[in-house]
Amino acid sequence: MFQLKKNVVSEVGFEPTQVAVRHGSSGASPSFHSKYGTPLLIGGAAFCTTVWVLTSTGITWNLSPVGKVQPKPWKE
């Protein structure tokens, strides 16, 4: 098993544990999720709730005039 790890490290050039430690220590700056996570979650829930309420009211939302506008009779 040790020989396999040695071969992988020589192929890749670094150990995966070193990368994990390096990326894990970047706690000084806040991440995207900690900055914008809650407002995005609240906004998405509000949007979905609004769409659900508007579509469940039974209003016909077809605003297209196709099939509704009839031509006037021809005057001779």
Side-chain angles (χ1 to χ4, degrees):
M1 190 65 169
F2 182 71
Q3 184 64 32
L4 176 64
K5 181 182 176 186
K6 206 168 156 182
N7 289 342
V8 169
V9 170
S10 67
E11 288 290 325
V12 176
F14 57 86
E15 288 192 48
T17 54
Q18 291 174 340
V19 174
V21 170
R22 198 175 321 142
H23 289 293
S25 64
S26 63
S29 64
S31 68
F32 177 83
H33 296 288
S34 63
K35 284 174 68 176
Y36 304 110
T38 305
L40 278 176
L41 183 65
I42 292 170
F47 175 77
C48 290
T49 304
T50 304
V51 169
W52 176 70
V53 168
L54 288 176
T55 56
S56 64
T57 57
I59 299 173
T60 304
W61 293 97
N62 187 8
L63 302 176
S64 173
V66 175
K68 296 178 184 176
V69 178
Q70 301 294 326
K72 293 181 181 178
W74 182 259
K75 296 180 183 175
E76 292 187 27

